[in-house]
Amino acid sequence: MHEIIAKQGLSPNVTRLDVKAPRIAQIRQPGQFVIVHLAEGAERIPLTIADADPERGTIALVIQAVGKSTRDLVALEPGQAIAGIAGPLGKPTELIEKGRALCVGGGVGTAVVHPIAQGLKRRGIPVHSIIGGRSREWVIFEPELRQLGEVTVCTDDGSYGRKGFVTDAARELLAAGGIDMVYAVGPVPMMRAVVNLTRPLGVPTIVSLNPVMVDGTGMCGGCRVTVGGQTLFACVDGPEFDGHHVDFDGLMDRLGTYREFEQRASQACEAGQCRVGLH
Amino acid sequence: MSEKYTTRERLKIDRQKMSEQDPQVRNANFAEVNLGLQEKVALLEAERCLQCRDPKCVSGCPVMVNIPRFLDLLSEGNLAGAAQSLLSDNALPSVTGRVCPQETQCEIECIRGHKGLPVAVGYLERYVGDWAQGHRDQVPMQVAPATGRRVAVVGAGPGGLTAAGELARRGHEVTVFEALHKPGGVLVYGIPEFRLPKKIVEDEVSRLEQAGVKIVCNTVIGRTYTIQELRAEFDAIFIANGAGLPVFMNVPGENFKGVYSANEYLTRVNLMSAYQFPRADTPVLLGRRVATVGGGNVAMDSARTAKRIGAEASMIVYRRTRKEMPARAEEIHHAEQEGIEFEFLVAPVEVVGNEKRWVTGLKCVRMKLGEPDASGRARPEIIPGSEFVIPCDVVVVAIGTRANPLLTATCPELKLNKWGNIVVDEQGMTSLPGVFAGGDIVRGAATVILAMGDGKRAAAAMDEYLKTAPRLSRSAAVAV
Ligand SMILES: Cc1cc2nc3c(=O)[nH]c(=O)nc-3n(C[C@H](O)[C@H](O)[C@H](O)COP(=O)(O)OP(=O)(O)OC[C@H]3O[C@@H](n4cnc5c(N)ncnc54)[C@H](O)[C@@H]3O)c2cc1C
Ligand SMILES: Cc1cc2nc3c(=O)[nH]c(=O)nc-3n(C[C@H](O)[C@H](O)[C@H](O)COP(=O)(O)OP(=O)(O)OC[C@H]3O[C@@H](n4cnc5c(N)ncnc54)[C@H](O)[C@@H]3O)c2cc1C
Ligand code: SF4
Ligand code: SF4
Ligand code: FES
């Protein structure tokens, strides 16, 4: 059992849970994730390790409530527990050895970018982060990222930082030159847009893919993605890949596999059949 | 042998049948198909055994279960004795009695079968195993005094569980690390409830826990801990992480929505209980017409599962004929009874989809059998110009699994063969001293009883090894 130590709302639908998982807190590396299994009967869902406190033995999960399983999770309160957390899974981020890095985070992807920026900073790599959200209250992890380097905040409505998409800011920064590597994590259209910016410039770009997963150990093949024409399993070969070779259309498409079920689950959830609070 | 019958009379007893759920009822539920034997019937079947002086049945069994001995005790109505005897050879008789391919192992060799039908060893093994599960107190596990040695087992499938039991029995402190949230391996995520109720595996696991075995789930060796880290903490290690890497067909359209590996399909339905959606949270595409590619147990399990969750048509697509199918005879027979359709001598060449990339069919070619290949089975050859499409909305690929590289890739010191399976010596020891391996990770996808046999043999070898191995000074890095 993994006890929830702290809970914090970060934006209208994003919640941070600090959860007891001492071993994972100790050895996790940027880019890695866990598979969370809330309780018997629950789904197994992948979540990035957004941060960790090895001393306290906790990891931070930053969860966007989009459906039944994520809503059940964010309904947990400190003192309650998650039955199973397996990890750390996936390959650690390929951190550059020298040069300058640009991290682009969209929405909850900002929390995924955070450990990458942490890793880079630890290596002494200057990091510029561009993060964004719909409006001010949707911007997350700004203070944490500010400790690691320069940060540009964008909001769609201009209510905070500069008005526009993260890709607009990225375009300018890339045009100015001097960026050796881009790490982009966010909704698929955002990652695709960033990759389309960096491709003509020849700037290598790593993206983090979020296909549907079950086991997270390479056993089921459900998380398969196409990269450079090859079928790879995101849970063991990724989740980060060379963005210039990712088949984003294929990823988007497969993400729609269970749309109908997700709607049914959400409806059932609204009708009060959620695992909320585990009562 | 009981004195109730003369040999002549014994030979007159017909092989007893096991009652089954009606095929038209069971193909819509997940309850077990085979209903088991009544005590009277089991005892009568046991009387059919001739107690051969040279019992060929025993040499047909990969772990040499002393079949005549347990059948003799059973025929006398001495169930505790029969169970004791059987369990000393085979730790999971309730499992093997249900899933062993008896018709190619113990029963095919049975001398009684030369005239008429062989003794129903599988049924009786199941009977005695189930009795033992219900009467734990009468077959207690004798645990030797603690040796102070710590051993780790990687993977809680049949291989790992068997080794854990054998090691615990010898007084070692055993910790089993399992990647998933539930122990059992293929027995819980692959083989469906209607063939092997999960309760049997749960019972077995709780028996091990009572004997002091610690089972740590959600722990992926190679990620949470490496083998080298475990070596610093445990005096010996047994690796039985199975062959859980699905093989795909490598044909166009395989990433369309509606194409599953059998591993994913069965895991969703069995381990994650997707058939109870939305009561359980994990979904599975139901499919009106489901095509399963393959001819082994995995294919039968998938096709029969598809029918149970509501497919109007569930089809097996196999490139050879019924005769060559590697599945257990009983599974093929049960599948036929349940209305599974078979397309023999057919091989898929493409998954067909609509503009939204949902599966709409499986394009296949017809095959004919040619010369035998290396395995001795006739090699299927394509009949030119024979392409056709099987309309379907779900495709399940059940053409095999390979060694999952997750663990081995993080321990380069382990010697592998060219297929990625771990290489072991006669004792089951790998290239790393004190690290043993067995089951599917060594053999490639094989059988439950072979994995169990490996677990048992390795446990004995580990016990020997531990008698002389140096004691570790521990760093307590692995906090369990
Ligand atoms: C490696 C990885 C890291 C991730 N990290 C984070 C994170 O840090 N924070 C966060 O909020 N989300 C993260 N996600 C996404 C998160 O796993 C999904 O949002 C979650 O599973 C949705 O479940 P649901 O029942 O709440 O929503 P649903 O209603 O089931 O689905 C909503 C969306 O999530 C996708 N999804 C559904 N089930 C799964 C599944 N089992 N695995 C993956 N995606 C699924 C669906 O395709 C759909 O687009 C990550 C995904 C991956 C693969
Ligand atoms: C659907 C299906 C039906 C079958 N039907 C039959 C049948 O009827 N009769 C028969 O004899 N055989 C059958 N088999 C084959 C049989 O199940 C296997 O040969 C047997 O289970 C192998 O046992 P094992 O202990 O080697 O591995 P597995 O049963 O595969 O168990 C391995 C365990 O290790 C865990 N693991 C994997 N990697 C790690 C890691 N890195 N760290 C920690 N844990 C890990 C896995 O999660 C799993 O629990 C079937 C197989 C399938 C898939
Ligand atoms: S373990 Fe399998 S092969 Fe051996 S006797 Fe039992 S059923 Fe037959
Ligand atoms: S060969 Fe058949 S008849 Fe002979 S001992 Fe074995 S089970 Fe009994
Ligand atoms: S989640 Fe099953 S193989 Fe990746």
Side-chain angles (χ1 to χ4, degrees), chain A residues 23 27 37 41-44 68 84 87-88 217-220 222 224 226 253-254 257-258 261 275, chain B residues 181 218 223-225 229 244 246 254-255 257 259-261 263-264 268 277 281 283-284 357-358 404:
Chain A
R23 173 67 183 172
I27 61 163
H37 186 233
E43 221 176 341
R44 295 167 58 94
K68 164 97 170 55
T217 66
M219 182 271 279
C220 77
R224 59 195 187 275
T226 311
D253 176 58
R254 285 183 58 81
T257 305
Y258 300 102
F261 291 87
R275 221 171 296 278
Chain B
H181 59 273
N218 293 305
R223 292 278 192 256
T224 319
Y225 303 99
E229 282 171 310
E254 212 163 8
N255 289 336
K257 299 188 289 292
V259 183
Y260 285 112
S261 75
N263 272 1
E264 181 180 1
R268 282 180 178 273
F277 186 89
D281 292 347
V284 69
R357 296 170 63 96
W358 286 99
N404 184 320

CSV table of all heavy atoms in Angstrom, one decimal, chain A residues 23 27 37 41-44 68 84 87-88 217-220 222 224 226 253-254 257-258 261 275, chain B residues 181 218 223-225 229 244 246 254-255 257 259-261 263-264 268 277 281 283-284 357-358 404:
chain,number,residue,atom,x,y,z
A,23,ARG,N,11.4,3.1,-2.6
A,23,ARG,CA,12.4,2.6,-3.5
A,23,ARG,C,12.4,3.4,-4.8
A,23,ARG,O,13.4,3.7,-5.4
A,23,ARG,CB,12.1,1.1,-3.8
A,23,ARG,CG,12.9,0.5,-4.9
A,23,ARG,CD,14.4,0.4,-4.5
A,23,ARG,NE,15.2,-0.2,-5.6
A,23,ARG,CZ,16.5,-0.2,-5.5
A,23,ARG,NH1,17.2,0.2,-4.5
A,23,ARG,NH2,17.2,-0.7,-6.5
A,27,ILE,N,15.5,5.7,-6.8
A,27,ILE,CA,16.2,5.4,-8.0
A,27,ILE,C,15.6,6.0,-9.3
A,27,ILE,O,16.2,5.8,-10.3
A,27,ILE,CB,16.3,3.9,-8.2
A,27,ILE,CG1,15.0,3.2,-8.3
A,27,ILE,CG2,17.1,3.3,-7.0
A,27,ILE,CD1,15.0,1.8,-8.8
A,37,HIS,N,-2.1,1.2,-9.7
A,37,HIS,CA,-3.3,0.3,-9.7
A,37,HIS,C,-4.0,0.7,-8.3
A,37,HIS,O,-3.5,0.2,-7.3
A,37,HIS,CB,-2.8,-1.1,-9.7
A,37,HIS,CG,-4.0,-2.1,-9.8
A,37,HIS,ND1,-4.1,-3.1,-8.9
A,37,HIS,CD2,-5.0,-2.1,-10.6
A,37,HIS,CE1,-5.2,-3.8,-9.2
A,37,HIS,NE2,-5.8,-3.2,-10.2
A,41,GLY,N,-10.0,-4.2,-9.1
A,41,GLY,CA,-11.0,-3.8,-10.0
A,41,GLY,C,-10.7,-2.5,-10.8
A,41,GLY,O,-11.3,-2.2,-11.8
A,42,ALA,N,-9.7,-1.8,-10.3
A,42,ALA,CA,-9.3,-0.6,-11.0
A,42,ALA,C,-8.4,-0.9,-12.2
A,42,ALA,O,-7.9,-2.0,-12.4
A,42,ALA,CB,-8.5,0.3,-10.0
A,43,GLU,N,-8.3,0.1,-13.1
A,43,GLU,CA,-7.5,0.0,-14.2
A,43,GLU,C,-6.0,0.2,-13.8
A,43,GLU,O,-5.8,0.8,-12.8
A,43,GLU,CB,-7.8,1.2,-15.2
A,43,GLU,CG,-7.9,0.8,-16.6
A,43,GLU,CD,-8.3,2.0,-17.5
A,43,GLU,OE1,-9.0,3.0,-16.9
A,43,GLU,OE2,-8.1,2.0,-18.7
A,44,ARG,N,-5.1,-0.3,-14.6
A,44,ARG,CA,-3.7,0.0,-14.4
A,44,ARG,C,-3.4,1.2,-15.3
A,44,ARG,O,-3.5,1.1,-16.5
A,44,ARG,CB,-2.8,-1.2,-14.7
A,44,ARG,CG,-3.0,-2.4,-13.9
A,44,ARG,CD,-2.3,-3.6,-14.5
A,44,ARG,NE,-0.9,-3.4,-14.7
A,44,ARG,CZ,0.0,-3.8,-13.8
A,44,ARG,NH1,-0.3,-4.4,-12.7
A,44,ARG,NH2,1.3,-3.6,-14.1
A,68,LYS,N,-12.5,8.2,-15.7
A,68,LYS,CA,-12.8,7.5,-14.5
A,68,LYS,C,-11.6,7.2,-13.6
A,68,LYS,O,-11.6,7.5,-12.4
A,68,LYS,CB,-13.5,6.2,-14.9
A,68,LYS,CG,-13.6,5.1,-13.8
A,68,LYS,CD,-14.9,5.2,-13.2
A,68,LYS,CE,-15.2,4.0,-12.3
A,68,LYS,NZ,-14.2,3.8,-11.2
A,84,GLY,N,-1.3,-0.5,-5.5
A,84,GLY,CA,0.0,-0.9,-6.2
A,84,GLY,C,0.6,0.2,-7.0
A,84,GLY,O,-0.1,0.9,-7.8
A,87,GLY,N,7.3,0.4,-10.6
A,87,GLY,CA,8.2,1.2,-11.3
A,87,GLY,C,9.6,1.2,-10.7
A,87,GLY,O,9.8,0.5,-9.7
A,88,PRO,N,10.4,2.1,-11.1
A,88,PRO,CA,10.2,3.1,-12.2
A,88,PRO,C,10.3,2.4,-13.5
A,88,PRO,O,11.2,1.5,-13.7
A,88,PRO,CB,11.3,4.1,-12.0
A,88,PRO,CG,12.4,3.3,-11.3
A,88,PRO,CD,11.7,2.3,-10.5
A,217,THR,N,5.3,-3.6,-18.9
A,217,THR,CA,6.6,-4.4,-18.9
A,217,THR,C,6.9,-5.0,-20.3
A,217,THR,O,7.8,-5.9,-20.4
A,217,THR,CB,6.5,-5.6,-17.9
A,217,THR,OG1,5.5,-6.5,-18.4
A,217,THR,CG2,6.1,-5.1,-16.5
A,218,GLY,N,6.2,-4.6,-21.3
A,218,GLY,CA,6.5,-5.2,-22.7
A,218,GLY,C,5.8,-6.5,-22.9
A,218,GLY,O,6.1,-7.3,-23.8
A,219,MET,N,4.8,-6.9,-22.1
A,219,MET,CA,4.1,-8.2,-22.2
A,219,MET,C,2.9,-8.2,-23.1
A,219,MET,O,2.6,-9.2,-23.7
A,219,MET,CB,3.8,-8.6,-20.8
A,219,MET,CG,3.1,-10.0,-20.7
A,219,MET,SD,1.3,-9.9,-20.8
A,219,MET,CE,0.9,-9.4,-19.1
A,220,CYS,N,2.2,-7.0,-23.2
A,220,CYS,CA,0.9,-7.1,-23.9
A,220,CYS,C,1.0,-6.5,-25.3
A,220,CYS,O,0.2,-6.8,-26.2
A,220,CYS,CB,-0.1,-6.4,-23.1
A,220,CYS,SG,-0.1,-4.6,-23.2
A,222,GLY,N,0.1,-3.6,-26.2
A,222,GLY,CA,-1.0,-2.6,-26.4
A,222,GLY,C,-0.5,-1.2,-26.6
A,222,GLY,O,-1.1,-0.4,-27.2
A,224,ARG,N,1.9,-0.2,-28.4
A,224,ARG,CA,2.8,-0.1,-29.6
A,224,ARG,C,2.6,1.2,-30.3
A,224,ARG,O,1.5,1.6,-30.5
A,224,ARG,CB,2.7,-1.4,-30.5
A,224,ARG,CG,1.4,-1.6,-31.1
A,224,ARG,CD,1.4,-3.1,-31.6
A,224,ARG,NE,0.1,-3.4,-32.4
A,224,ARG,CZ,-1.0,-3.8,-31.8
A,224,ARG,NH1,-1.1,-3.9,-30.5
A,224,ARG,NH2,-2.1,-4.0,-32.6
A,226,THR,N,4.6,3.5,-33.7
A,226,THR,CA,5.4,3.4,-34.9
A,226,THR,C,6.4,4.5,-34.9
A,226,THR,O,6.1,5.7,-34.8
A,226,THR,CB,4.6,3.4,-36.2
A,226,THR,OG1,3.5,2.5,-36.0
A,226,THR,CG2,5.5,3.0,-37.4
A,253,ASP,N,-4.6,8.1,-33.4
A,253,ASP,CA,-5.7,7.2,-33.8
A,253,ASP,C,-5.9,6.1,-32.7
A,253,ASP,O,-7.0,5.8,-32.3
A,253,ASP,CB,-5.3,6.5,-35.1
A,253,ASP,CG,-6.3,5.5,-35.6
A,253,ASP,OD1,-7.5,5.9,-35.7
A,253,ASP,OD2,-6.0,4.3,-35.7
A,254,ARG,N,-4.8,5.4,-32.3
A,254,ARG,CA,-4.9,4.3,-31.4
A,254,ARG,C,-5.4,4.8,-30.0
A,254,ARG,O,-6.1,4.1,-29.3
A,254,ARG,CB,-3.6,3.5,-31.2
A,254,ARG,CG,-3.4,2.6,-32.4
A,254,ARG,CD,-2.1,1.8,-32.3
A,254,ARG,NE,-2.1,0.9,-31.1
A,254,ARG,CZ,-2.7,-0.2,-31.0
A,254,ARG,NH1,-3.4,-0.7,-32.1
A,254,ARG,NH2,-2.7,-1.0,-29.9
A,257,THR,N,-9.1,4.3,-29.3
A,257,THR,CA,-9.7,2.9,-29.3
A,257,THR,C,-10.8,2.8,-28.3
A,257,THR,O,-11.8,2.2,-28.6
A,257,THR,CB,-8.6,1.9,-28.9
A,257,THR,OG1,-7.5,2.1,-29.8
A,257,THR,CG2,-9.1,0.5,-29.0
A,258,TYR,N,-10.7,3.4,-27.1
A,258,TYR,CA,-11.7,3.1,-26.1
A,258,TYR,C,-12.6,4.3,-25.8
A,258,TYR,O,-13.2,4.4,-24.7
A,258,TYR,CB,-11.0,2.6,-24.8
A,258,TYR,CG,-10.2,1.4,-25.0
A,258,TYR,CD1,-8.8,1.4,-25.2
A,258,TYR,CD2,-10.9,0.1,-25.2
A,258,TYR,CE1,-8.1,0.2,-25.4
A,258,TYR,CE2,-10.2,-1.0,-25.4
A,258,TYR,CZ,-8.8,-1.0,-25.6
A,258,TYR,OH,-8.1,-2.1,-25.8
A,261,PHE,N,-16.0,3.5,-24.5
A,261,PHE,CA,-16.0,3.0,-23.2
A,261,PHE,C,-15.7,4.1,-22.1
A,261,PHE,O,-16.2,4.1,-21.1
A,261,PHE,CB,-14.8,1.9,-23.0
A,261,PHE,CG,-15.1,0.7,-23.8
A,261,PHE,CD1,-14.8,0.5,-25.1
A,261,PHE,CD2,-15.7,-0.4,-23.2
A,261,PHE,CE1,-15.0,-0.6,-25.8
A,261,PHE,CE2,-15.9,-1.6,-23.8
A,261,PHE,CZ,-15.5,-1.7,-25.2
A,275,ARG,N,-15.1,4.9,-7.6
A,275,ARG,CA,-14.3,4.3,-6.5
A,275,ARG,C,-13.9,5.4,-5.6
A,275,ARG,O,-13.1,5.3,-4.7
A,275,ARG,CB,-13.1,3.6,-7.1
A,275,ARG,CG,-12.8,2.3,-6.4
A,275,ARG,CD,-11.6,1.7,-7.2
A,275,ARG,NE,-12.1,1.4,-8.6
A,275,ARG,CZ,-12.8,0.3,-8.9
A,275,ARG,NH1,-13.1,-0.6,-7.9
A,275,ARG,NH2,-13.2,0.0,-10.1
B,181,HIS,N,0.3,-7.0,-10.4
B,181,HIS,CA,-0.3,-6.8,-9.1
B,181,HIS,C,-0.8,-8.1,-8.5
B,181,HIS,O,-1.3,-8.1,-7.3
B,181,HIS,CB,-1.3,-5.7,-9.1
B,181,HIS,CG,-2.5,-6.0,-10.0
B,181,HIS,ND1,-2.5,-5.7,-11.3
B,181,HIS,CD2,-3.7,-6.6,-9.8
B,181,HIS,CE1,-3.6,-6.1,-11.9
B,181,HIS,NE2,-4.3,-6.7,-11.0
B,218,ASN,N,4.0,-6.0,-7.9
B,218,ASN,CA,4.4,-4.6,-8.5
B,218,ASN,C,5.8,-4.3,-8.4
B,218,ASN,O,6.2,-3.2,-8.2
B,218,ASN,CB,3.6,-3.5,-7.7
B,218,ASN,CG,2.1,-3.7,-7.9
B,218,ASN,OD1,1.7,-3.7,-9.1
B,218,ASN,ND2,1.3,-3.8,-6.9
B,223,ARG,N,14.0,-3.2,-13.3
B,223,ARG,CA,13.7,-1.8,-13.1
B,223,ARG,C,13.7,-1.5,-11.6
B,223,ARG,O,14.5,-0.6,-11.2
B,223,ARG,CB,12.3,-1.5,-13.7
B,223,ARG,CG,12.2,-1.6,-15.2
B,223,ARG,CD,12.7,-0.3,-15.9
B,223,ARG,NE,12.3,-0.3,-17.3
B,223,ARG,CZ,13.2,-0.5,-18.3
B,223,ARG,NH1,14.4,-0.8,-18.0
B,223,ARG,NH2,12.8,-0.5,-19.5
B,224,THR,N,12.8,-2.1,-10.9
B,224,THR,CA,12.8,-1.7,-9.4
B,224,THR,C,14.1,-2.2,-8.7
B,224,THR,O,14.6,-1.4,-7.9
B,224,THR,CB,11.6,-2.4,-8.7
B,224,THR,OG1,10.4,-2.3,-9.6
B,224,THR,CG2,11.3,-1.7,-7.4
B,225,TYR,N,14.5,-3.4,-9.0
B,225,TYR,CA,15.8,-3.8,-8.6
B,225,TYR,C,16.5,-4.6,-9.8
B,225,TYR,O,15.8,-5.2,-10.6
B,225,TYR,CB,15.7,-4.8,-7.4
B,225,TYR,CG,15.0,-4.3,-6.2
B,225,TYR,CD1,13.7,-4.6,-6.0
B,225,TYR,CD2,15.7,-3.5,-5.3
B,225,TYR,CE1,13.0,-4.1,-4.9
B,225,TYR,CE2,15.0,-3.0,-4.2
B,225,TYR,CZ,13.7,-3.3,-4.0
B,225,TYR,OH,13.0,-2.8,-2.9
B,229,GLU,N,21.7,-6.2,-8.0
B,229,GLU,CA,21.3,-5.7,-6.6
B,229,GLU,C,20.7,-6.9,-5.8
B,229,GLU,O,21.0,-6.9,-4.6
B,229,GLU,CB,20.2,-4.6,-6.8
B,229,GLU,CG,20.9,-3.3,-7.2
B,229,GLU,CD,19.8,-2.2,-7.5
B,229,GLU,OE1,18.9,-2.5,-8.3
B,229,GLU,OE2,19.9,-1.1,-6.9
B,244,GLY,N,7.0,-13.6,-21.8
B,244,GLY,CA,5.9,-12.7,-22.1
B,244,GLY,C,6.2,-11.6,-23.1
B,244,GLY,O,6.2,-10.4,-22.7
B,246,PRO,N,4.9,-10.6,-26.8
B,246,PRO,CA,4.1,-11.1,-27.9
B,246,PRO,C,4.7,-10.9,-29.2
B,246,PRO,O,5.4,-10.0,-29.5
B,246,PRO,CB,2.9,-10.1,-27.7
B,246,PRO,CG,3.4,-8.9,-27.1
B,246,PRO,CD,4.5,-9.3,-26.2
B,254,GLU,N,-1.7,-3.9,-39.0
B,254,GLU,CA,-1.7,-4.6,-37.6
B,254,GLU,C,-1.8,-3.6,-36.5
B,254,GLU,O,-2.1,-4.0,-35.4
B,254,GLU,CB,-0.4,-5.4,-37.4
B,254,GLU,CG,-0.6,-6.6,-36.6
B,254,GLU,CD,0.6,-7.6,-36.7
B,254,GLU,OE1,1.6,-7.3,-37.4
B,254,GLU,OE2,0.4,-8.7,-36.1
B,255,ASN,N,-1.7,-2.3,-36.8
B,255,ASN,CA,-1.9,-1.3,-35.7
B,255,ASN,C,-3.3,-0.6,-35.8
B,255,ASN,O,-3.6,0.3,-35.1
B,255,ASN,CB,-0.8,-0.2,-35.8
B,255,ASN,CG,0.5,-0.8,-35.3
B,255,ASN,OD1,0.5,-1.7,-34.6
B,255,ASN,ND2,1.6,-0.2,-35.8
B,257,LYS,N,-7.2,-0.1,-35.0
B,257,LYS,CA,-7.9,-0.3,-33.8
B,257,LYS,C,-8.8,-1.6,-33.9
B,257,LYS,O,-9.6,-1.7,-34.8
B,257,LYS,CB,-8.8,0.9,-33.5
B,257,LYS,CG,-8.0,2.2,-33.4
B,257,LYS,CD,-8.9,3.4,-32.9
B,257,LYS,CE,-9.9,3.8,-34.0
B,257,LYS,NZ,-9.3,4.4,-35.2
B,259,VAL,N,-7.0,-4.7,-33.3
B,259,VAL,CA,-6.0,-5.7,-33.3
B,259,VAL,C,-5.3,-5.9,-32.0
B,259,VAL,O,-4.8,-4.9,-31.4
B,259,VAL,CB,-4.9,-5.5,-34.4
B,259,VAL,CG1,-4.0,-6.7,-34.4
B,259,VAL,CG2,-5.5,-5.2,-35.8
B,260,TYR,N,-5.4,-7.0,-31.4
B,260,TYR,CA,-4.8,-7.3,-30.1
B,260,TYR,C,-3.8,-8.4,-30.2
B,260,TYR,O,-4.0,-9.4,-31.0
B,260,TYR,CB,-5.9,-7.8,-29.1
B,260,TYR,CG,-6.9,-6.8,-28.5
B,260,TYR,CD1,-8.2,-6.9,-28.9
B,260,TYR,CD2,-6.5,-5.9,-27.6
B,260,TYR,CE1,-9.1,-6.0,-28.4
B,260,TYR,CE2,-7.4,-5.0,-27.1
B,260,TYR,CZ,-8.7,-5.1,-27.5
B,260,TYR,OH,-9.6,-4.2,-26.9
B,261,SER,N,-2.8,-8.4,-29.4
B,261,SER,CA,-2.0,-9.6,-29.1
B,261,SER,C,-2.9,-10.4,-28.2
B,261,SER,O,-3.7,-9.9,-27.4
B,261,SER,CB,-0.7,-9.3,-28.4
B,261,SER,OG,-0.9,-9.0,-27.1
B,263,ASN,N,-1.9,-11.9,-25.6
B,263,ASN,CA,-1.5,-11.5,-24.2
B,263,ASN,C,-2.4,-10.3,-23.8
B,263,ASN,O,-2.9,-10.3,-22.6
B,263,ASN,CB,-0.1,-11.0,-24.2
B,263,ASN,CG,0.9,-12.2,-23.9
B,263,ASN,OD1,0.4,-13.3,-23.8
B,263,ASN,ND2,2.2,-11.9,-23.9
B,264,GLU,N,-2.5,-9.3,-24.6
B,264,GLU,CA,-3.3,-8.1,-24.2
B,264,GLU,C,-4.8,-8.5,-24.0
B,264,GLU,O,-5.4,-8.1,-23.1
B,264,GLU,CB,-3.1,-7.0,-25.2
B,264,GLU,CG,-3.9,-5.7,-24.7
B,264,GLU,CD,-3.9,-4.5,-25.6
B,264,GLU,OE1,-3.2,-4.6,-26.7
B,264,GLU,OE2,-4.5,-3.5,-25.3
B,268,ARG,N,-6.5,-8.3,-20.4
B,268,ARG,CA,-7.7,-7.4,-20.2
B,268,ARG,C,-8.8,-8.2,-19.6
B,268,ARG,O,-9.4,-7.8,-18.6
B,268,ARG,CB,-8.1,-6.7,-21.5
B,268,ARG,CG,-7.2,-5.5,-21.8
B,268,ARG,CD,-7.6,-4.8,-23.1
B,268,ARG,NE,-6.7,-3.7,-23.4
B,268,ARG,CZ,-6.8,-2.5,-22.9
B,268,ARG,NH1,-7.9,-2.2,-22.2
B,268,ARG,NH2,-6.0,-1.6,-23.2
B,277,PHE,N,-16.8,-5.0,-17.3
B,277,PHE,CA,-17.0,-3.5,-17.6
B,277,PHE,C,-18.4,-3.1,-17.6
B,277,PHE,O,-19.2,-3.8,-18.2
B,277,PHE,CB,-16.3,-3.1,-18.9
B,277,PHE,CG,-16.2,-1.7,-19.1
B,277,PHE,CD1,-15.1,-0.9,-18.7
B,277,PHE,CD2,-17.2,-1.0,-19.8
B,277,PHE,CE1,-15.1,0.4,-18.9
B,277,PHE,CE2,-17.2,0.4,-20.0
B,277,PHE,CZ,-16.1,1.1,-19.5
B,281,ASP,N,-12.9,-1.5,-14.2
B,281,ASP,CA,-12.6,-0.3,-15.0
B,281,ASP,C,-12.0,-0.5,-16.3
B,281,ASP,O,-12.0,0.4,-17.2
B,281,ASP,CB,-11.7,0.7,-14.2
B,281,ASP,CG,-12.4,1.2,-12.9
B,281,ASP,OD1,-13.6,1.0,-12.9
B,281,ASP,OD2,-11.7,1.8,-12.1
B,283,PRO,N,-11.5,-1.6,-20.0
B,283,PRO,CA,-12.4,-2.1,-21.1
B,283,PRO,C,-11.7,-3.1,-22.1
B,283,PRO,O,-10.5,-3.2,-22.1
B,283,PRO,CB,-12.6,-0.7,-21.9
B,283,PRO,CG,-11.3,0.1,-21.7
B,283,PRO,CD,-10.8,-0.4,-20.3
B,284,VAL,N,-12.5,-3.7,-22.9
B,284,VAL,CA,-12.0,-4.5,-24.0
B,284,VAL,C,-13.0,-4.4,-25.1
B,284,VAL,O,-14.2,-4.3,-24.9
B,284,VAL,CB,-11.8,-6.0,-23.6
B,284,VAL,CG1,-13.1,-6.7,-23.3
B,284,VAL,CG2,-11.0,-6.8,-24.6
B,357,ARG,N,-9.7,3.7,-39.6
B,357,ARG,CA,-8.6,2.7,-39.1
B,357,ARG,C,-9.2,1.8,-38.1
B,357,ARG,O,-8.5,1.3,-37.2
B,357,ARG,CB,-7.4,3.5,-38.6
B,357,ARG,CG,-6.7,4.3,-39.7
B,357,ARG,CD,-5.6,5.2,-39.1
B,357,ARG,NE,-4.6,4.5,-38.4
B,357,ARG,CZ,-3.4,4.1,-39.0
B,357,ARG,NH1,-3.2,4.5,-40.2
B,357,ARG,NH2,-2.5,3.5,-38.3
B,358,TRP,N,-10.5,1.4,-38.2
B,358,TRP,CA,-11.0,0.3,-37.4
B,358,TRP,C,-10.9,-0.9,-38.3
B,358,TRP,O,-11.1,-0.9,-39.5
B,358,TRP,CB,-12.5,0.6,-37.1
B,358,TRP,CG,-12.7,1.6,-36.0
B,358,TRP,CD1,-13.0,2.9,-36.2
B,358,TRP,CD2,-12.6,1.4,-34.6
B,358,TRP,NE1,-13.1,3.5,-34.9
B,358,TRP,CE2,-12.8,2.6,-33.9
B,358,TRP,CE3,-12.3,0.3,-33.8
B,358,TRP,CZ2,-12.8,2.8,-32.6
B,358,TRP,CZ3,-12.2,0.4,-32.4
B,358,TRP,CH2,-12.5,1.7,-31.8
B,404,ASN,N,11.0,-12.1,-23.0
B,404,ASN,CA,10.9,-10.7,-22.8
B,404,ASN,C,12.3,-10.2,-22.3
B,404,ASN,O,12.8,-10.7,-21.4
B,404,ASN,CB,9.8,-10.4,-21.6
B,404,ASN,CG,9.6,-8.9,-21.4
B,404,ASN,OD1,10.5,-8.1,-21.4
B,404,ASN,ND2,8.4,-8.6,-21.2
